[in-house]
Amino acid sequence: MGKIAVIYNPNAGKNKRSPGREKRLMRIFGKRGEWFRTDDRDALNEAVRCCRDGGYEIVAISGGDGTLHQVFSAMVNTYGDGHPLPKVAFLRSGTMNTAAKSIRLKGSAFKTLQTIVDRNEDCKPFKIFRQPLIRVNDYYGFMAGAGVVAYFLEAYYSAKNPGPVHAAAMVTRIVGSTIFRTGYSSTIFRPVRCRLVIDGKRMEHAEYVYILGCTVRELGLGFTPTPRAYERAGHFHLLAGSMTPADLVPKIPALWLGRDIVHPRMYYNGIAAEVVMEPFKEEPWMIDGDIYTTGRPLRFSAGPVVDIIMPI
């Protein structure tokens, strides 16, 4: 039986909307391990240090995509090479839960936690999914990029009630704007000016509408733009180009089905081990839904592989 800890983010989408979720999860968890409520980054860093020093073998995370990115970043940077990372369970509590959906992880947070504590007490083995992370400088997650992927999220988060319905409505509005030639799509599809070096080869272009690296296949809403994410160890699937909304709309079925996209303005579509993006000015970029801004180079590379518990 392994030692269990729970990291609970009260600011995650579902947790924030329904504060009673914490008490319900705590009742399931009981006194089986350590409960960490992480209201801010300092609390998260302290929780991760306690998990490392206490030798916790299983860490269940109650949060969404941004929470997962924050926890994995703290874990990799805190554990270092001298400590193996714990097994991780996703207690889906975010607005979108894109990473969980991409690996076909189903079940509510309550059912998942109950399954984990029961199987752990009965000393039954867990089904494990080995998931590689993507690294961007000292940040870790599953998907990262700049251009439309960051601008879309900026517009998405500005909504009063962000969520899957609103995200789908934004996609529909972009399609309509493209067909009827209104200005909405151009506010999302703005180019990023930068130098891009892929596996040591400098690209000839200086503007990109999208730069996206993923270690998962799905990006959300069922779209599968990076189907080669698991093709080779130590690599991730990279998309970089300047396809316009008019170019992309006819490709929506292919993006949905995970088929290869071929277009003159798709400058790179394949696996990569290391990518360096050097922006010419301050630009927003995102990792797992969290948006940052930088004027300094971003180095994308493959991160460690984490063991994710799949509820049976």
Side-chain angles (χ1 to χ4, degrees):
M1 185 170 69
K3 295 179 68 176
I4 306 179
V6 173
I7 292 178
Y8 181 89
N9 178 11
N11 300 310
K14 290 182 181 178
N15 293 343
K16 190 173 184 178
R17 289 196 300 271
S18 304
R21 286 170 58 88
E22 183 173 17
K23 288 185 178 180
R24 186 176 170 188
L25 286 168
M26 290 181 77
R27 283 197 297 270
I28 294 170
F29 191 57
K31 298 184 182 298
R32 294 179 173 92
E34 196 71 30
W35 186 277
F36 298 99
R37 193 176 202 270
T38 55
D39 296 272
D40 53 35
R41 189 164 297 181
D42 288 341
L44 172 59
N45 289 335
E46 178 61 24
V48 169
R49 281 193 293 270
C50 289
C51 289
R52 179 198 64 189
D53 297 342
Y56 287 90
E57 300 164 68
I58 300 168
V59 176
I61 305 167
S62 176
D65 296 309
T67 304
L68 295 177
H69 141 62
Q70 296 286 349
V71 172
F72 283 126
S73 297
M75 276 186 174
V76 176
N77 291 317
T78 300
Y79 279 61
D81 296 330
H83 299 82
L85 295 175
K87 297 180 181 67
V88 174
F90 295 174
L91 307 181
R92 305 193 315 166
S93 306
T95 304
M96 298 290 286
N97 300 302
T98 301
K101 291 175 182 175
S102 183
I103 63 173
R104 302 293 188 268
L105 194 154
K106 299 179 180 180
S108 69
F110 311 107
K111 183 178 179 181
T112 298
L113 184 58
Q114 186 70 67
T115 299
I116 289 168
V117 297
D118 287 347
R119 294 189 71 84
N120 190 56
E121 286 187 341
D122 294 339
C123 297
K124 292 182 178 179
F126 292 106
K127 180 181 178 182
I128 298 295
F129 184 85
R130 290 184 54 76
Q131 172 63 50
L133 299 177
I134 192 168
R135 176 181 183 178
V136 184
N137 294 355
D138 288 328
Y139 297 90
Y140 294 84
F142 304 102
M143 59 196 80
V148 65
V149 292
Y151 299 138
F152 181 93
L153 286 172
E154 285 184 329
Y156 168 80
Y157 290 135
S158 68
K160 185 176 181 180
N161 295 303
V165 173
H166 180 67
M170 286 180 62
V171 172
T172 302
R173 187 177 177 187
I174 289 171
V175 172
S177 174
T178 302
I179 294 171
F180 297 106
R181 299 184 180 182
T182 65
Y184 180 73
S185 61
S186 63
T187 65
I188 306 294
F189 281 73
R190 308 196 308 271
V192 173
R193 288 186 51 78
C194 66
R195 281 185 289 270
L196 198 64
V197 180
I198 303 174
D199 289 337
K201 180 181 178 181
R202 181 170 172 173
M203 301 292 284
E204 63 184 41
H205 308 282
E207 284 191 351
Y208 298 85
V209 169
Y210 50 85
I211 298 168
L212 175 67
C214 294
T215 57
V216 291
R217 295 188 180 101
E218 288 190 18
L219 192 60
L221 300 177
F223 287 103
T224 311
T226 50
R228 299 173 63 186
Y230 300 105
E231 185 171 306
R232 187 185 303 174
H235 292 68
F236 54 92
H237 193 160
L238 176 75
L239 302 177
S242 290
M243 292 175 67
T244 66
D247 297 329
L248 283 169
V249 166
K251 303 291 186 181
I252 286 177
L255 288 168
W256 188 277
L257 296 171
R259 294 176 179 169
D260 201 24
I261 303 295
V262 178
H263 192 277
R265 283 189 286 273
M266 177 69 83
Y267 305 141
Y268 190 92
N269 181 0
I271 60 173
E274 183 180 74
V275 175
V276 179
M277 171 187 159
E278 301 176 4
F280 295 156
K281 62 180 182 65
E282 290 278 328
E283 294 283 0
W285 68 281
M286 79 88 195
I287 180 166
D288 289 0
D290 278 4
I291 301 175
Y292 300 92
T293 302
T294 186
R296 304 181 68 180
L298 295 175
R299 187 178 301 274
F300 297 67
S301 60
V305 177
V306 294
D307 288 344
I308 299 174
I309 295 174
M310 305 293 285
I312 297 175

